[in-house]
Amino acid sequence: MAGHKKSGFEEVESLLQDIGTKIEQLIEKAADAGGDAKVELEKKIRDLRERKTTVEEEFKKGKSKVETLYNSKKTEIEPNLKKSQKHFKNAFKQLGEAFKVLIKKT
């Protein structure tokens, strides 16, 4: 076995962890910053946290929905799941890019 290929869900989970880590880094930056910079960073942190929470909730809902469906109709769904998983991954990649852009601005 030459390395374990991550499932779409595992990729998203690691992306969410990565975002969490970046938020922690911003919090540290904000603690060292002063004045306007601190206010600006704190605003960004709040914004990122809200987005991350929304994404996590959507992800959990989507994941449990997919698991329930998948278990009940495994054979019918298998080919379609691969397709929708690709779209799901692309959406999260775009979200990841958006976070990178937001974080770079700080």
Side-chain angles (χ1 to χ4, degrees):
M1 279 278 210
H4 166 71
K5 186 164 171 22
K6 282 185 176 180
S7 75
F9 289 129
E10 286 172 323
E11 265 183 57
V12 172
E13 280 165 347
S14 69
L15 177 66
L16 286 169
Q17 282 174 338
D18 191 39
I19 291 165
T21 306
K22 287 188 168 79
I23 292 173
E24 293 305 313
Q25 289 167 353
L26 276 181
I27 291 168
E28 284 169 29
K29 250 192 204 175
D32 296 336
D36 291 344
K38 186 175 186 133
V39 173
E40 189 59 35
L41 279 170
E42 284 172 349
K43 193 171 150 292
K44 279 197 175 124
I45 291 165
R46 270 197 307 279
D47 188 38
L48 282 170
R49 276 196 173 137
E50 280 169 27
R51 288 187 193 198
K52 182 175 183 265
T53 304
T54 307
V55 169
E56 278 175 328
E57 284 166 5
E58 289 303 312
F59 173 63
K60 282 179 190 148
K61 267 191 264 175
K63 187 176 179 182
S64 67
K65 225 183 268 180
V66 167
E67 283 169 351
T68 307
L69 256 173
Y70 186 71
N71 290 333
S72 64
K73 299 181 176 179
K74 209 168 187 163
T75 49
E76 299 167 44
I77 289 179
E78 201 108 64
N80 292 332
L81 190 66
K82 291 208 175 8
K83 246 188 278 177
S84 63
Q85 197 177 44
K86 199 172 159 192
H87 293 303
F88 197 59
K89 279 203 304 207
N90 286 339
F92 271 99
K93 276 188 185 134
Q94 287 169 357
L95 187 83
E97 292 305 311
F99 271 109
K100 280 182 200 155
V101 169
L102 260 175
I103 287 162
K104 274 183 193 153
K105 287 181 183 171
T106 58

